[in-house]
Amino acid sequence: MSRVSLLLISHSHDIVNGLKSLLNQVQPEVNIAAAGGADGDIGTNAFTIKTALESIYSERGVVILFDLGSALINAELAVEMLGLDDGEKVIFADAPLVEGAYAAVVEAGVGGTVEEVAAAAESTKQLQKIAGEK
């Protein structure tokens, strides 16, 4: 069964590759690509993101999670270079990278649609990690 894929983008190669490793343990049947760092340093690169997106793109779609604003800019450029219609088969999730990716991989693993996977990721914005009064 084909599942929605995830693309993880960070300014750090180590962050997204470590997160990808964690998510592969949680749900090994979901295709996950990581694009992090630029030319051996921090940053993002639209061409690296494009290559990662191509490697996991399927008819079920891709949810893209990212860390900082310029990662979004480069991801949008990569989607444009591929001629994909973001919002149809590619959705950018406005979510915290780690928590959002974890929720997304669980939803993708149970066969959720691209919209459901993105919604699961975005629902983590409301996650309270420590219970109690502040």
Side-chain angles (χ1 to χ4, degrees):
M1 171 183 167
S2 175
R3 290 176 168 76
V4 172
S5 302
L6 302 179
L7 175 55
L8 311 173
I9 304 171
S10 173
H11 284 67
S12 168
H13 171 81
D14 293 339
I15 287 174
V16 286
N17 283 289
L19 181 55
K20 178 183 174 187
S21 178
L22 170 68
L23 299 178
N24 282 331
Q25 291 177 40
V26 171
Q27 185 47 260
E29 295 181 16
V30 174
N31 288 327
I32 303 168
D39 302 320
D41 204 358
I42 63 167
T44 59
N45 178 302
F47 296 103
T48 302
I49 295 168
K50 176 183 172 280
T51 300
L53 181 56
E54 287 174 313
S55 75
I56 58 165
Y57 186 80
S58 76
E59 73 282 352
R60 291 294 310 271
V62 177
V63 172
I64 299 176
L65 295 112
F66 58 94
D67 60 359
L68 303 170
S70 62
L72 173 62
I73 293 166
N74 279 318
E76 289 172 333
L77 181 57
V79 169
E80 186 177 310
M81 286 190 290
L82 286 174
L84 301 175
D85 180 15
D86 62 314
E88 220 174 285
K89 295 286 185 181
V90 176
I91 296 179
F92 294 92
D94 182 9
L97 182 59
V98 175
E99 293 86 347
Y102 195 94
V105 81
V106 170
E107 184 65 34
V110 298
T113 66
V114 69
E115 294 86 359
E116 291 168 334
V117 172
E122 291 177 351
S123 74
T124 64
K125 290 192 292 187
Q126 306 307 316
L127 182 66
Q128 184 176 349
K129 293 184 181 184
I130 300 174
E133 295 181 38
K134 295 193 180 210

